[in-house]
Amino acid sequence: MPMSPTSKAFLQIHFCVVLWGFTAILGKLITLPALPLVWARMLLVVVALALLPKVWRGLRAMPPRLFWAYAGVGVLVALHWLTFYGAIKLANASVAATCIALATAFTAIVEPWLARTRFSKRDLALGIAVLPGVALVVGGVPDEMRIGIAVGALSALLVALFGSLNKRLVDHGEPLTVTAIELGAGTVALTLLAPLMPYFPVDAIAEAFAGDLLVMPGGRDIALLLVLSLVCTLLPFALSLMALRHMSAFAAQLAVNLEPVYAIILAILLLGEQRELEPPFYLGVVVILAAVLVHPLLARPRRMDHAEVLATAESKQLGE
Protein backbone atom coordinates (compact mmCIF):
# COMPACT_ATOMS: atom_id res chain seq x y z
CA MET A 1 0.00 0.00 0.00
CA PRO A 2 1.57 3.34 -1.06
CA MET A 3 2.46 5.78 1.72
CA SER A 4 0.51 9.05 1.86
CA PRO A 5 2.44 12.34 1.40
CA THR A 6 1.69 13.28 5.02
CA SER A 7 3.02 9.99 6.40
CA LYS A 8 6.12 10.27 4.22
CA ALA A 9 6.68 13.85 5.40
CA PHE A 10 6.32 12.74 9.03
CA LEU A 11 9.01 10.09 8.58
CA GLN A 12 11.24 12.54 6.70
CA ILE A 13 11.11 15.21 9.40
CA HIS A 14 11.91 12.67 12.12
CA PHE A 15 14.82 11.37 10.06
CA CYS A 16 16.04 14.97 9.80
CA VAL A 17 15.75 15.40 13.57
CA VAL A 18 17.82 12.25 14.13
CA LEU A 19 20.50 13.60 11.77
CA TRP A 20 20.48 16.92 13.65
CA GLY A 21 20.80 14.95 16.88
CA PHE A 22 23.98 13.39 15.48
CA THR A 23 25.62 16.82 15.17
CA ALA A 24 26.28 16.88 18.92
CA ILE A 25 27.80 13.38 18.75
CA LEU A 26 30.04 14.35 15.85
CA GLY A 27 31.08 17.51 17.69
CA LYS A 28 32.32 15.33 20.54
CA LEU A 29 34.06 12.82 18.25
CA ILE A 30 35.88 15.42 16.12
CA THR A 31 39.11 16.29 17.93
CA LEU A 32 39.38 19.84 16.57
CA PRO A 33 38.70 22.75 18.95
CA ALA A 34 35.34 24.46 18.51
CA LEU A 35 36.38 27.35 16.27
CA PRO A 36 38.23 25.41 13.53
CA LEU A 37 35.50 22.75 13.69
CA VAL A 38 32.71 25.25 13.06
CA TRP A 39 34.78 27.16 10.49
CA ALA A 40 35.39 23.98 8.49
CA ARG A 41 31.74 22.94 8.73
CA MET A 42 30.48 26.29 7.49
CA LEU A 43 33.09 26.50 4.74
CA LEU A 44 32.21 23.04 3.40
CA VAL A 45 28.49 23.87 3.30
CA VAL A 46 29.14 27.21 1.59
CA VAL A 47 31.33 25.52 -1.04
CA ALA A 48 28.60 22.94 -1.71
CA LEU A 49 25.94 25.67 -2.02
CA ALA A 50 28.21 27.69 -4.35
CA LEU A 51 27.95 24.86 -6.87
CA LEU A 52 24.21 25.48 -7.30
CA PRO A 53 23.19 27.96 -10.05
CA LYS A 54 20.00 28.71 -8.11
CA VAL A 55 22.06 30.25 -5.31
CA TRP A 56 23.88 32.60 -7.70
CA ARG A 57 20.61 33.67 -9.34
CA GLY A 58 19.24 34.50 -5.90
CA LEU A 59 22.36 36.52 -5.05
CA ARG A 60 22.09 38.59 -8.22
CA ALA A 61 18.44 39.39 -7.50
CA MET A 62 18.96 40.37 -3.85
CA PRO A 63 19.15 44.09 -2.89
CA PRO A 64 22.41 45.07 -1.12
CA ARG A 65 20.62 46.18 2.04
CA LEU A 66 18.92 42.79 2.38
CA PHE A 67 22.19 41.00 1.64
CA TRP A 68 23.91 42.76 4.54
CA ALA A 69 20.95 42.10 6.83
CA TYR A 70 21.27 38.37 6.18
CA ALA A 71 25.05 38.62 6.58
CA GLY A 72 24.56 40.15 10.02
CA VAL A 73 22.26 37.30 10.99
CA GLY A 74 24.94 34.93 9.69
CA VAL A 75 27.42 36.28 12.24
CA LEU A 76 24.95 35.33 14.99
CA VAL A 77 24.58 31.89 13.41
CA ALA A 78 28.38 31.44 13.52
CA LEU A 79 28.50 32.48 17.16
CA HIS A 80 25.65 30.07 17.95
CA TRP A 81 27.47 27.13 16.37
CA LEU A 82 30.73 28.22 17.98
CA THR A 83 29.23 28.28 21.47
CA PHE A 84 27.28 25.06 20.87
CA TYR A 85 30.40 23.10 19.97
CA GLY A 86 32.32 24.95 22.65
CA ALA A 87 29.78 23.67 25.20
CA ILE A 88 30.36 20.13 23.90
CA LYS A 89 34.12 20.52 24.35
CA LEU A 90 33.74 22.09 27.81
CA ALA A 91 31.14 19.55 29.02
CA ASN A 92 29.68 16.86 26.75
CA ALA A 93 27.09 16.29 24.03
CA SER A 94 24.22 15.63 26.48
CA VAL A 95 24.80 18.91 28.34
CA ALA A 96 25.03 20.93 25.11
CA ALA A 97 21.87 19.37 23.66
CA THR A 98 19.96 20.04 26.88
CA CYS A 99 21.06 23.68 26.91
CA ILE A 100 19.86 24.13 23.32
CA ALA A 101 16.39 23.02 24.44
CA LEU A 102 16.30 26.36 26.29
CA ALA A 103 16.10 28.14 22.91
CA THR A 104 12.31 27.77 22.88
CA ALA A 105 12.05 29.58 26.21
CA PHE A 106 14.49 32.31 25.14
CA THR A 107 12.58 32.75 21.87
CA ALA A 108 9.34 33.25 23.77
CA ILE A 109 10.95 36.18 25.57
CA VAL A 110 12.99 37.89 22.82
CA GLU A 111 10.83 37.30 19.74
CA PRO A 112 8.17 39.96 20.54
CA TRP A 113 10.89 42.65 20.38
CA LEU A 114 12.89 41.34 17.44
CA ALA A 115 10.16 39.89 15.22
CA ARG A 116 7.58 42.51 16.27
CA THR A 117 5.05 39.94 17.41
CA ARG A 118 2.61 40.29 20.30
CA PHE A 119 3.98 39.46 23.73
CA SER A 120 2.42 36.32 25.19
CA LYS A 121 1.97 35.60 28.88
CA ARG A 122 1.83 31.92 27.98
CA ASP A 123 5.27 32.12 26.42
CA LEU A 124 6.62 33.94 29.45
CA ALA A 125 5.22 31.12 31.62
CA LEU A 126 7.16 28.68 29.45
CA GLY A 127 10.36 30.57 30.17
CA ILE A 128 9.68 30.44 33.89
CA ALA A 129 8.71 26.74 33.78
CA VAL A 130 12.14 25.63 32.55
CA LEU A 131 14.03 27.31 35.40
CA PRO A 132 13.65 24.42 37.90
CA GLY A 133 14.93 22.10 35.19
CA VAL A 134 17.97 24.29 34.64
CA ALA A 135 18.71 24.22 38.37
CA LEU A 136 18.52 20.41 38.40
CA VAL A 137 20.76 20.16 35.33
CA VAL A 138 23.39 22.36 36.96
CA GLY A 139 23.25 20.27 40.13
CA GLY A 140 23.61 17.04 38.18
CA VAL A 141 26.91 17.73 36.42
CA PRO A 142 30.47 17.77 37.78
CA ASP A 143 31.79 21.18 38.77
CA GLU A 144 34.24 21.30 35.86
CA MET A 145 31.35 20.97 33.36
CA ARG A 146 29.34 23.92 34.66
CA ILE A 147 31.16 26.39 32.46
CA GLY A 148 29.87 24.29 29.57
CA ILE A 149 26.30 24.88 30.78
CA ALA A 150 26.87 28.66 30.76
CA VAL A 151 28.30 28.54 27.22
CA GLY A 152 25.46 26.24 26.10
CA ALA A 153 22.84 28.62 27.50
CA LEU A 154 24.49 31.46 25.57
CA SER A 155 24.25 29.30 22.45
CA ALA A 156 20.52 28.85 23.05
CA LEU A 157 20.07 32.60 23.44
CA LEU A 158 21.85 33.13 20.11
CA VAL A 159 19.41 30.67 18.49
CA ALA A 160 16.54 32.78 19.78
CA LEU A 161 18.15 35.98 18.47
CA PHE A 162 18.95 34.87 14.94
CA GLY A 163 15.78 32.79 14.64
CA SER A 164 13.64 35.82 15.52
CA LEU A 165 15.58 38.06 13.14
CA ASN A 166 15.23 35.51 10.34
CA LYS A 167 11.46 35.60 10.83
CA ARG A 168 11.46 39.33 10.10
CA LEU A 169 13.35 38.73 6.87
CA VAL A 170 11.70 35.46 5.85
CA ASP A 171 9.67 36.59 2.86
CA HIS A 172 12.53 38.43 1.14
CA GLY A 173 14.95 35.73 0.02
CA GLU A 174 15.18 32.25 -1.51
CA PRO A 175 16.06 29.69 1.21
CA LEU A 176 19.25 28.26 -0.31
CA THR A 177 20.55 31.73 -1.14
CA VAL A 178 19.79 32.97 2.37
CA THR A 179 21.60 29.98 3.85
CA ALA A 180 24.63 30.57 1.62
CA ILE A 181 24.83 34.25 2.61
CA GLU A 182 24.43 33.56 6.32
CA LEU A 183 26.95 30.74 6.44
CA GLY A 184 29.36 32.62 4.17
CA ALA A 185 29.25 35.67 6.44
CA GLY A 186 29.68 33.40 9.44
CA THR A 187 32.77 31.83 7.89
CA VAL A 188 34.30 35.27 7.35
CA ALA A 189 33.46 36.30 10.94
CA LEU A 190 35.14 33.21 12.38
CA THR A 191 38.20 33.80 10.17
CA LEU A 192 38.56 37.26 11.72
CA LEU A 193 37.91 35.93 15.24
CA ALA A 194 40.41 33.06 15.08
CA PRO A 195 43.60 35.12 15.77
CA LEU A 196 41.98 36.65 18.89
CA MET A 197 40.60 33.47 20.44
CA PRO A 198 43.87 32.25 22.08
CA TYR A 199 43.94 35.47 24.14
CA PHE A 200 40.51 34.90 25.72
CA PRO A 201 40.92 35.63 29.46
CA VAL A 202 39.37 32.32 30.61
CA ASP A 203 41.94 29.60 29.95
CA ALA A 204 39.41 26.75 29.71
CA ILE A 205 37.43 28.58 27.04
CA ALA A 206 40.55 29.57 25.10
CA GLU A 207 41.69 25.94 25.09
CA ALA A 208 38.30 24.57 24.03
CA PHE A 209 37.73 27.14 21.29
CA ALA A 210 41.05 28.27 19.82
CA GLY A 211 42.81 26.50 16.96
CA ASP A 212 44.76 27.17 13.77
CA LEU A 213 42.48 27.28 10.75
CA LEU A 214 45.29 26.48 8.32
CA VAL A 215 46.38 23.20 9.93
CA MET A 216 45.05 20.22 7.96
CA PRO A 217 42.95 17.94 10.20
CA GLY A 218 43.66 14.22 10.37
CA GLY A 219 41.92 11.80 8.05
CA ARG A 220 39.37 10.75 10.67
CA ASP A 221 38.43 14.35 11.45
CA ILE A 222 38.11 15.17 7.74
CA ALA A 223 35.74 12.25 7.25
CA LEU A 224 33.64 13.26 10.27
CA LEU A 225 33.56 16.89 9.11
CA LEU A 226 32.25 15.79 5.71
CA VAL A 227 29.52 13.76 7.41
CA LEU A 228 28.67 16.72 9.67
CA SER A 229 28.51 19.20 6.78
CA LEU A 230 26.88 17.15 4.04
CA VAL A 231 24.93 14.38 5.76
CA CYS A 232 23.86 16.23 8.93
CA THR A 233 23.44 19.74 7.47
CA LEU A 234 22.68 19.83 3.74
CA LEU A 235 20.80 16.52 3.51
CA PRO A 236 18.30 17.23 6.30
CA PHE A 237 17.89 20.78 4.98
CA ALA A 238 16.79 19.44 1.58
CA LEU A 239 14.58 16.73 3.09
CA SER A 240 12.95 19.16 5.54
CA LEU A 241 12.07 21.56 2.73
CA MET A 242 10.16 18.74 1.01
CA ALA A 243 8.57 17.47 4.22
CA LEU A 244 7.28 20.86 5.33
CA ARG A 245 5.11 21.11 2.23
CA HIS A 246 2.93 18.27 3.52
CA MET A 247 2.68 18.79 7.28
CA SER A 248 1.45 21.36 9.75
CA ALA A 249 3.63 23.76 11.71
CA PHE A 250 2.44 22.07 14.90
CA ALA A 251 3.55 18.58 13.79
CA ALA A 252 6.91 19.88 12.60
CA GLN A 253 7.57 21.90 15.76
CA LEU A 254 6.68 18.94 17.95
CA ALA A 255 9.07 16.73 15.98
CA VAL A 256 12.05 19.09 16.06
CA ASN A 257 11.57 19.77 19.76
CA LEU A 258 12.49 16.11 20.24
CA GLU A 259 16.00 16.77 18.92
CA PRO A 260 17.61 17.01 22.39
CA VAL A 261 15.96 13.69 23.29
CA TYR A 262 17.51 12.00 20.28
CA ALA A 263 20.87 13.64 20.96
CA ILE A 264 20.93 12.52 24.61
CA ILE A 265 19.89 8.96 23.72
CA LEU A 266 22.60 8.82 21.05
CA ALA A 267 25.15 10.22 23.53
CA ILE A 268 24.26 7.46 26.01
CA LEU A 269 24.38 4.70 23.39
CA LEU A 270 27.46 5.85 21.48
CA LEU A 271 29.50 7.80 24.03
CA GLY A 272 28.41 6.36 27.37
CA GLU A 273 27.87 9.85 28.79
CA GLN A 274 25.48 8.63 31.50
CA ARG A 275 28.59 7.68 33.50
CA GLU A 276 29.61 11.35 33.65
CA LEU A 277 26.27 12.71 34.88
CA GLU A 278 24.16 12.38 38.03
CA PRO A 279 20.40 11.55 38.25
CA PRO A 280 19.39 15.22 38.92
CA PHE A 281 20.72 16.07 35.44
CA TYR A 282 18.26 13.71 33.77
CA LEU A 283 15.42 14.87 36.02
CA GLY A 284 16.19 18.43 34.91
CA VAL A 285 16.16 17.28 31.29
CA VAL A 286 12.66 15.86 31.80
CA VAL A 287 11.42 19.16 33.30
CA ILE A 288 12.91 21.26 30.47
CA LEU A 289 11.69 19.00 27.67
CA ALA A 290 8.22 18.69 29.22
CA ALA A 291 7.85 22.47 29.07
CA VAL A 292 9.26 22.64 25.53
CA LEU A 293 7.06 19.83 24.21
CA VAL A 294 3.91 21.25 25.81
CA HIS A 295 4.50 24.62 24.15
CA PRO A 296 3.23 23.60 20.67
CA LEU A 297 0.12 22.12 22.29
CA LEU A 298 -0.78 25.54 23.70
CA ALA A 299 0.27 27.68 20.76
CA ARG A 300 -2.00 28.69 17.90
CA PRO A 301 -1.45 26.83 14.60
CA ARG A 302 0.88 28.94 12.49
CA ARG A 303 2.04 29.20 8.95
CA MET A 304 5.12 27.23 7.87
CA ASP A 305 6.93 29.34 5.33
CA HIS A 306 10.44 30.00 6.52
CA ALA A 307 12.24 26.69 6.37
CA GLU A 308 15.59 28.37 5.73
CA VAL A 309 15.95 28.72 9.48
CA LEU A 310 16.27 24.95 9.56
CA ALA A 311 19.70 25.03 7.94
CA THR A 312 21.33 27.22 10.53
CA ALA A 313 20.61 25.84 13.96
CA GLU A 314 20.85 22.75 16.02
CA SER A 315 17.52 23.80 17.54
CA LYS A 316 15.19 24.55 14.66
CA GLN A 317 12.74 27.38 15.21
CA LEU A 318 9.88 26.44 12.89
CA GLY A 319 6.72 28.23 13.89
CA GLU A 320 6.27 31.78 12.74
Side-chain angles (χ1 to χ4, degrees), residues 28-184:
K28 189 69 174 180
L29 293 175
I30 295 170
T31 61
L32 295 175
L35 196 147
L37 187 162
V38 175
W39 181 83
R41 179 190 186 184
M42 299 184 88
L43 182 63
L44 287 169
V45 175
V46 170
V47 169
L49 290 173
L51 300 177
L52 303 177
K54 185 176 184 179
V55 170
W56 292 101
R57 289 196 296 270
L59 281 172
R60 287 193 293 269
M62 185 169 291
R65 183 176 178 181
L66 188 59
F67 173 91
W68 289 111
Y70 280 124
V73 173
V75 174
L76 294 177
V77 171
L79 294 176
H80 154 63
W81 273 355
L82 180 62
T83 49
F84 176 72
Y85 288 101
I88 293 173
K89 302 297 181 182
L90 290 164
N92 60 29
S94 297
V95 169
T98 301
C99 289
I100 288 300
L102 297 173
T104 301
F106 282 133
T107 299
I109 296 170
V110 305
E111 185 179 296
W113 288 276
L114 293 181
R116 297 173 181 172
T117 58
R118 190 174 63 180
F119 183 79
S120 168
K121 292 181 180 179
R122 181 196 62 237
D123 289 347
L124 178 60
L126 168 68
I128 296 172
V130 302
L131 294 179
V134 174
L136 287 167
V137 164
V138 172
V141 304
D143 291 344
E144 62 271 17
M145 286 189 181
R146 290 181 180 176
I147 188 172
I149 294 177
V151 173
L154 175 59
S155 184
L157 176 59
L158 288 164
V159 170
L161 292 174
F162 81 73
S164 299
L165 290 171
N166 259 340
K167 289 176 187 180
R168 287 185 60 179
L169 302 169
V170 65
D171 295 322
H172 305 292
E174 192 277 326
L176 287 175
T177 302
V178 170
T179 302
I181 294 171
E182 291 186 352
L183 299 192

Side-chain angles (χ1 to χ4, degrees), residues 194-229:
L196 305 176
M197 206 67 239
Y199 303 103
F200 197 86
V202 180
D203 291 341
I205 291 180
E207 182 179 348
F209 282 71
D212 193 338
L213 302 182
L214 300 180
V215 173
M216 180 64 68
R220 179 175 177 272
D221 279 345
I222 290 176
L224 292 175
L225 281 168
L226 288 172
V227 172
L228 177 63
S229 303

